[in-house]
Amino acid sequence: MPLAVQIARNGGPEEMKLVDVPVGEPGPGQIRIRHKAIGLNFIDVYQRTGLYQLPMPLTLGTEGAGIVEAVGEGVTHLKAGDRAAYASSPPGSYSEVRVMPALAVCKLPDEISFETGAAMMLKGLTVQYLLRKTLPVEGLQAGDHVLWHAAAGGVGLIACQWAKALGYQLIATAGSEEKCQLALANGAAYAINYRAEQFADRVAEITGGKGVKVVYDSVGKDTWEGSLQCLRPFGLMASFGNASGPVPPFAPAILAPKCLYVTRATLFAHIATRERCQQMADDLFDVVRSGKVKIHIDQRFPLTEVQAAHRALEARQTTGSTILTLD
């Protein structure tokens, strides 16, 4: 019987257990996929801890790549034997085999490996909808500054490269000099070690006091106030994660002096239709195949060592993408 990583209750990494799970045939609109590699993401931590509440028992994981074994009625864009990759809800990718909705599963080009596919779908599609669709009211033009927090992680390193390809000057923040150097090596125009200096002051210095048009922030509580300070008038605060905890409630009046905009963006709203998901994936595949964006897999853990993988992620000990491997 195939193995999967499940939790029976919210809590720490120790709640994740390897269990046998029955896997049946796909129903209408579903596929069955045998994973070759699995992506690790901070959303997995949010779901494990209960920040994002889901029914129990829960098989974790929202990103994976493998081979389609069977397709259900109505699925026309995939067939048995296809190489495929996805970022998709509901969770369940921490498994050898799963049945899942086909809507957000995309054929994986032959030039892209299963490991790369598993490492890039959620992260790369996140960067795609942020840099291409989550834009300030005045738009972004070549030469514009954007601020990106946690820029040495899997999402951040893709963003550094893609922003450079688009002509933007990305100001990266990270928690060590080594991570700052990694962001710079991947195309960031500037890098700020937020443990050594106040990032808002440094952004003001870099931009000549003007501020940035947009802040892309997956950190949450710890960077919220400083990020608002970094924005120029009519700027956009694009919050897309809560690594330090959720942003506390705030009065909209704090946005008034500079007429700021705020959005809480999520990938799954953007990939809710087959057509939109495929368009976004095609954009991602193109930029990866072009060589303008390289996917860095800096950590690999066997699925059996998933607890260690989560501990490393939560302790900020990872850079780039992390995948879970299957023997």
Side-chain angles (χ1 to χ4, degrees):
M1 194 176 292
L3 293 173
V5 174
Q6 285 190 346
I7 60 171
R9 61 183 181 183
N10 295 122
E14 69 280 357
E15 296 297 335
M16 294 184 291
K17 311 292 184 187
L18 209 58
V19 298
D20 294 322
V21 292
V23 179
E25 296 299 315
Q30 295 182 324
I31 64 159
R32 187 174 71 239
I33 186 168
R34 182 170 293 274
H35 291 124
K36 296 294 186 181
I38 299 158
L40 183 76
N41 296 283
F42 235 98
I43 191 173
D44 307 344
V45 174
Y46 302 155
Q47 292 171 351
R48 191 201 74 224
T49 59
L51 180 63
Y52 297 172
Q53 285 288 330
L54 291 165
M56 299 291 165
L58 174 64
T59 301
L60 292 167
T62 53
E63 184 178 42
I67 296 176
V68 177
E69 289 191 334
V71 302
E73 181 184 350
V75 177
T76 58
H77 68 288
L78 295 166
K79 64 183 186 302
D82 280 347
R83 304 171 76 252
Y86 66 86
S88 182
S89 184
S93 68
Y94 286 14
S95 58
E96 293 179 327
V97 185
R98 72 178 291 199
V99 169
M100 64 179 296
L103 182 146
V105 183
C106 299
K107 285 184 70 171
L108 186 65
D110 291 340
E111 309 95 304
I112 300 176
S113 71
F114 288 119
E115 287 199 349
T116 299
M120 78 178 199
M121 290 300 285
L122 188 143
K123 304 168 193 69
L125 291 174
T126 295
V127 175
Q128 198 278 344
Y129 85 74
L130 289 169
L131 286 181
R132 306 286 261 176
K133 299 182 178 185
T134 311
L135 302 175
V137 68
E138 296 181 330
L140 286 176
Q141 287 80 42
D144 281 344
H145 293 96
V146 303
L147 177 61
W148 198 291
H149 291 300
V155 174
L157 291 184
I158 294 172
C160 289
Q161 298 172 76
W162 208 332
K164 182 178 181 180
L166 292 169
Y168 307 148
Q169 296 194 67
L170 185 144
I171 304 171
T173 73
S176 70
E177 288 303 323
E178 293 77 12
K179 288 186 175 183
C180 285
Q181 290 304 312
L182 187 57
L184 290 168
N186 279 273
Y190 305 90
I192 303 167
N193 178 355
Y194 61 76
R195 297 189 194 280
E197 55 186 334
Q198 293 292 328
F199 71 83
D201 293 341
R202 182 77 177 103
V203 167
E205 181 183 325
I206 290 167
T207 62
K210 293 180 179 179
V212 297
K213 283 185 175 181
V214 59
V215 177
Y216 296 109
D217 188 358
S218 63
V219 176
K221 177 173 62 70
D222 289 355
T223 49
W224 173 257
E225 290 188 10
S227 294
L228 292 180
Q229 292 176 37
C230 292
L231 287 166
R232 63 193 295 176
F234 311 108
L236 172 65
M237 175 68 185
S239 172
F240 67 102
N242 322 275
S244 67
V247 174
F250 66 94
I254 68 171
L255 308 174
K258 293 192 285 185
C259 291
L260 299 179
Y261 294 77
V262 175
T263 184
R264 179 55 171 92
T266 63
L267 172 62
F268 297 119
H270 282 272
I271 60 173
T273 70
R274 166 101 282 279
E275 295 75 21
R276 192 183 301 125
C277 180
Q278 191 64 56
Q279 289 169 0
M280 292 170 62
D282 288 344
D283 194 18
L284 173 62
F285 294 153
D286 285 348
V287 78
V288 170
R289 285 186 291 195
S290 75
K292 293 177 181 176
V293 170
K294 294 179 172 61
I295 307 301
H296 297 279
I297 303 173
D298 293 341
Q299 297 81 211
R300 291 172 171 82
F301 294 84
L303 184 61
T304 52
E305 295 180 16
V306 66
Q307 293 185 5
H310 271 235
R311 290 190 179 99
L313 184 65
E314 288 184 278
R316 307 291 197 278
Q317 294 171 351
T318 64
T319 56
S321 296
T322 303
I323 61 168
L324 303 173
T325 59
L326 298 145
D327 295 326

